[in-house]
Amino acid sequence: GIQVEQSPPDLILQEGANSTLRCNFSDSVNNLQWFHQNPWGQLINLFYIPSGTKQNGRLSATTVATERYSLLYISSSQTTDSGVYFCAVPENTGFQKLVFGTGTRLLVSP
Amino acid sequence: NAGVTQTPKFRVLKTGQSMTLLCAQDMNHEYMYWYRQDPGMGLRLIHYSVGEGTTAKGEVPDGYNVSRLKKQNFLLGLESAAPSQTSVYFCASSLFGMGNEQFFGPGTRLTVL
């Protein structure tokens, strides 16, 4: 099945810093989602981005499907950005289950 | 518009007890899913439904049953809980197929003693 790897696994930032999270996937995909799992465990949709670039406030995402990667940019980070960031892609076979990446754990300190 | 809601939020069971987790969505989505999230294992699909009255097995269906009697509701049942079912359970929904954008509920933290 498709493999989804994220880097870095852990990231510690000072409030106000910028960061880039990466998601690599091993096969062609029709779409990709980015999620934020906050410290309370809730999974929050950030982007649904099969290709191209999208922006939402301080966050933006770019997916280059032909090169099998996606990037999530966080600018001017805030303590509320802390948590785990997952990317997820559907498998191309079977019931096309959503395959989640390994996650990036982000801690933003004041 | 509440999105996807789950009840209860927390539950503690003894081994052998049964319970039902309820998921509801108000987005008129066709597909609904139950996942479990365990440390080091990520999210794994338990069962899913492609529409009212349908259910199908996912990756880890053993020990669970589901029902989708109404389009907006998806129930997950544990007939005889085991400690291995201690986990956080998430419900999700999407307009159409799994490849569509999935929206998740807040989760249910279940502990089986």
Side-chain angles (χ1 to χ4, degrees):
Chain A
I2 193 168
Q3 303 296 314
V4 185
E5 293 186 356
Q6 293 183 241
S7 59
D10 296 281
L11 188 58
I12 300 175
L13 299 174
Q14 283 285 116
E15 203 168 22
N18 302 329
S19 61
T20 300
L21 283 58
R22 187 176 180 104
C23 171
N24 291 332
F25 38 94
S26 61
D27 202 352
S28 59
V29 297
N30 291 324
N31 64 69
L32 182 143
Q33 285 190 251
W34 280 100
F35 297 93
H36 174 213
Q37 187 163 36
N38 64 23
W40 294 269
Q42 292 180 308
L43 274 166
I44 299 163
N45 288 44
L46 297 178
F47 294 102
Y48 177 71
I49 181 167
S51 63
T53 298
K54 290 187 177 180
Q55 180 152 9
N56 185 1
R58 297 180 295 104
L59 275 59
S60 65
T62 295
T63 296
V64 184
T66 53
E67 297 187 21
R68 301 181 184 173
Y69 73 90
S70 183
L71 301 174
L72 178 69
Y73 306 96
I74 304 174
S75 64
S76 304
S77 59
Q78 300 176 357
T79 56
T80 51
D81 295 331
S82 296
V84 183
Y85 290 80
F86 292 102
C87 61
V89 299
E91 276 196 330
N92 290 327
T93 59
F95 46 76
Q96 299 182 318
K97 68 180 175 73
L98 207 58
V99 178
F100 284 78
T102 47
T104 292
R105 186 175 301 275
L106 174 65
L107 176 63
V108 181
S109 56
Chain B
N1 191 342
V4 180
T5 58
Q6 293 181 231
T7 51
K9 290 184 170 53
F10 304 94
R11 186 71 185 269
V12 178
L13 291 178
K14 294 182 179 178
T15 297
Q17 287 185 317
S18 63
M19 78 163 295
T20 300
L21 281 67
L22 172 63
C23 175
Q25 54 93 5
D26 62 1
M27 296 176 282
N28 202 33
H29 285 174
E30 290 294 332
Y31 278 60
M32 295 186 74
Y33 316 88
W34 277 106
Y35 293 88
R36 59 179 289 175
Q37 185 178 32
D38 302 291
M41 302 291 289
L43 279 92
R44 292 180 291 171
L45 183 66
I46 305 171
H47 285 281
Y48 65 101
S49 169
V50 304
E52 182 178 313
T54 74
T55 63
K57 294 180 180 180
E59 301 173 83
V60 288
D62 294 342
Y64 305 96
N65 56 75
V66 288
S67 64
R68 182 110 180 259
L69 299 180
K70 293 183 178 181
K71 185 177 183 178
Q72 63 268 35
N73 296 338
F74 195 28
L75 278 63
L76 178 71
L78 286 73
E79 289 187 346
S80 179
S84 61
Q85 293 178 305
T86 294
S87 187
V88 180
Y89 292 85
F90 287 98
C91 176
S93 71
S94 63
L95 185 57
F96 294 115
M98 286 199 207
N100 278 189
E101 187 173 11
Q102 292 191 24
F103 295 87
F104 283 76
T108 295
R109 187 173 295 275
L110 174 66
T111 301
V112 182
L113 303 175

